[in-house]
């Protein structure tokens, strides 16, 4: 794709779409069944084979989280423990159910939920934990599951960043209670927008399949065969959260390319780590890409005082950067639920900067970004 004018901008992130995705979309358009049907069923089957257990596709990752929480019986009067340092989608999905998101602190190294912080945030109303696999790493997930097991809590993993990451020899989502993925345009694989819920819990599966179709019971199979049911019952609140065939076609093609896309992210991130190893002030949040598929490449810059200035100097040199994320306990809607200070989140956040990462970056781009960062810092 040709940039028309000006110096080339190295984008923070972007969708990476090839001929396979374009052909798949054209095939759906030719069949003139754009809604939820055979293409969604095929994408779900392919995801199920990948995870080794069922996946239910929905319209986006936020909807996946909301439906998973609701299917697990979480709602009004309940509390969910969640790291403050996450996209607001995690918090919104919890509050959409009527439950209260209780902001928890992180480990400084990985920026993932610190299991040692859970005890002091818990109350009699706590029903679930939502760990967030920040940047693609799962952090101390086993300790979080152990804590949940001791206290009888559900675990709904926000795995939006972690499609393809392997933990204890299995892909994230293959084990554990419930995992939710996002297939939004810039995630590790995309279906345009989209997401899925992965679990072995048959009751949760049944509830999310109904809830994504306005609570119309047992409509999924009928839809897959092109015939929706007209004489149905509804016993629970539902939403229009299903995935369309158009989205599923893109997602399925991307799933087939997952090794290529993941490998490229890993190569580029490893190149960043090598290039940054001479800069003691700059510490990558992720550094081992054998098992982790990096979704973003955040670094912590020691003593960083003026992040906005740094970002605009880099932008002037053609390098886009990001900030992941403003802590949710500082947002007006959620500040009132903050239970105790979050010292690690508050000290890490001002020093975080996310460097460009997507599979279409060239090898040379990495060195270029690192040198522009060095100049902008000096
Ligand atoms: C992208 C994302 C989501 C939500 O996914 P959408 O598909 O955008 O709704 C949730 N949590 C995190 C951490 C994300 O990055």
């Amino acid at each position: 794709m040709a940039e028309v004018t000006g110096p080339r901008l190295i984008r923070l992130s972007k969708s990476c779409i090839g001929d396979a995705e374009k052909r798949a979309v054209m095939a759906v358009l030719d069949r003139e069944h754009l809604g939820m049907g055979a293409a969604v069923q095929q994408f779900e089957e392919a995801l199920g084979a990948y995870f080794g257990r069922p996946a239910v596709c929905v319209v986006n990752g936020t909807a996946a989280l909301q439906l998973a929480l609701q299917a697990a019986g979480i709602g009004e009067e309940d509390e969910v423990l969640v790291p403050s340092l996450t996209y607001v989608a995690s918090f919104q999905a919890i509050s959409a159910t009527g439950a209260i998101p209780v902001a928890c602190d992180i480990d400084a190294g990985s920026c993932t939920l610190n299991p040692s912080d859970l005890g002091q945030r818990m109350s009699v109303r706590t029903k679930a934990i939502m760990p967030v696999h920040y940047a693609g790493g799962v952090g101390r997930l086993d300790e979080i599951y152990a804590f949940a097991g001791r206290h009888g809590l559900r675990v709904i993993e926000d795995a939006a960043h972690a499609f393809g990451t392997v933990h204890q020899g299995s892909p994230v989502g293959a084990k554990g209670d419930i995992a939710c993925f996002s297939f939004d345009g810039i995630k590790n694989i995309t279906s345009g927008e989209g997401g899925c819920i992965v679990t072995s819990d048959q009751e949760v599966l049944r509830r999310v399949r109904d809830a994504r179709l306005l609570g119309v019971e047992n409509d999924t199979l009928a839809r897959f065969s092109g015939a929706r049911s007209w004489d149905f019952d509804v016993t629970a609140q539902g939403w229009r959260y299903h995935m369309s065939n158009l989205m599923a076609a893109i997602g399925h093609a991307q799933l087939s390319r997952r090794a290529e896309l993941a490998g490229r992210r890993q190569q580029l991130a490893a190149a960043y780590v090598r290039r940054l190893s001479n800069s003691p002030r700059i510490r990558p949040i992720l550094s081992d890409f054998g098992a982790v598929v990096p979704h973003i490449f955040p670094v912590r810059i020691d003593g960083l005082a003026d992040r906005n200035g740094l970002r605009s100097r880099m932008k002037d040199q053609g390098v886009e950067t990001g900030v992941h994320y403003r802590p949710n306990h500082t947002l007006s809607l959620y500040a009132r639920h903050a239970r105790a200070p979050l010292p690690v989140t508050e000290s890490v956040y001002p020093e975080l900067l996310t460097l460009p990462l997507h599979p279409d970056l060239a090898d040379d781009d990495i060195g270029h970004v690192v040198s522009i960062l060095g100049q902008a810092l000096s």
Side-chain angles (χ1 to χ4, degrees):
M1 267 201 313
E3 296 282 337
V4 190
T5 50
R8 192 168 82 92
L9 176 70
I10 298 185
R11 287 167 63 180
L12 175 64
S13 54
K14 66 185 272 296
S15 309
C16 299
I17 296 299
D19 289 338
E21 291 85 338
K22 292 175 190 171
R23 277 195 304 271
V25 167
M26 287 309 291
V28 169
L29 291 174
D30 284 341
R31 284 196 293 272
E32 298 185 317
H33 179 186
L34 306 190
M36 181 171 132
V40 175
Q41 182 174 29
Q42 286 156 16
F43 185 33
E44 287 188 347
E45 282 167 6
L47 286 166
Y50 169 72
F51 290 114
R53 60 181 187 166
V56 179
C57 286
V58 292
V59 70
N60 57 50
T62 312
L65 291 167
Q66 183 195 333
L67 292 188
L69 288 159
Q70 271 164 336
I74 288 142
E76 303 281 339
E77 316 266 291
D78 296 333
E79 294 179 356
V80 179
L81 304 175
V82 57
S84 185
L85 193 76
T86 181
Y87 187 39
V88 67
S90 319
F91 273 63
Q92 285 278 16
I94 295 166
S95 54
T97 71
I100 291 174
V102 175
C104 298
D105 216 350
I106 50 169
D107 282 319
S110 64
C111 290
T112 54
L113 185 57
N114 177 357
S116 312
D117 189 54
L118 295 170
Q120 66 164 326
R121 312 278 171 190
M122 207 172 61
S123 81
V124 291
R125 297 184 163 185
T126 306
K127 292 283 162 48
I129 309 175
M130 184 182 287
V132 177
H133 304 330
Y134 184 85
V138 301
R140 292 154 70 189
L141 187 60
D142 299 334
E143 289 172 67
I144 291 166
Y145 268 101
F147 182 94
R150 283 197 298 278
H151 298 281
L153 307 177
R154 298 299 300 249
V155 178
I156 292 99
E157 298 177 38
D158 180 342
H161 290 192
F163 186 88
T165 289
V166 171
H167 176 59
Q168 310 274 25
S170 308
V172 167
K175 299 267 171 64
D177 191 0
I178 307 175
C180 295
F181 292 86
S182 165
F183 303 136
D184 118 349
I186 59 165
K187 294 288 172 29
N188 290 358
I189 66 167
T190 184
S191 54
E193 298 287 339
C196 75
I197 297 140
V198 187
T199 183
S200 305
D201 183 326
Q202 294 301 318
E203 184 61 17
V204 166
L205 289 166
R206 188 187 66 71
R207 288 185 186 179
V208 297
R209 285 187 184 117
D210 290 346
R212 70 176 163 177
L213 291 168
L214 292 170
V216 174
E217 293 188 350
N218 302 313
D219 206 18
T220 286
L221 266 179
R223 292 265 185 153
F224 283 166
S225 58
R228 50 208 286 194
S229 26
W230 298 107
D231 184 20
F232 52 75
D233 197 14
V234 169
T235 56
Q237 175 67 53
W239 288 267
R240 291 276 289 171
Y241 281 179
H242 61 280
M243 179 179 276
S244 75
N245 278 344
L246 272 179
M247 298 158 77
I250 300 171
H252 201 164
Q254 287 256 305
L255 180 64
S256 307
R257 293 178 60 202
R258 69 178 183 277
E260 166 209 341
L261 294 168
R264 189 67 190 139
R265 285 180 180 276
Q266 289 168 323
Q267 273 175 354
L268 293 163
Y272 268 131
V273 171
R274 280 195 303 278
R275 295 268 182 178
L276 290 167
S277 60
N278 301 325
S279 314
R281 250 189 102 185
I282 307 173
R283 200 181 53 75
I285 300 302
L286 298 170
S287 56
D288 176 8
F289 303 104
V292 170
V293 178
H295 165 53
I296 52 175
F297 194 82
V299 296
R300 182 175 179 185
I301 303 173
D302 208 30
L304 180 61
D306 177 19
R307 179 169 53 199
N308 288 342
L310 178 70
R311 294 186 64 210
S312 79
R313 287 192 295 281
M314 291 182 73
K315 185 77 183 280
D316 290 344
Q317 298 300 313
V319 176
E320 194 177 41
T321 57
V323 177
H324 295 86
Y325 295 94
R326 174 161 163 183
N328 284 269
H329 72 280
T330 69
L331 302 175
S332 303
L333 181 61
Y334 299 118
R336 65 206 157 98
H337 302 314
R339 194 154 280 168
L342 293 109
V344 181
T345 301
E346 275 159 25
S347 66
V348 168
Y349 168 66
E351 299 185 346
L352 286 176
L353 181 75
T354 304
L355 303 180
L357 182 67
H358 57 75
D360 285 346
L361 284 177
D363 293 335
D364 292 348
D365 290 337
I366 302 301
H368 182 67
V369 169
V370 170
S371 78
I372 297 291
L373 171 61
Q375 287 165 28
L377 270 175
S378 62

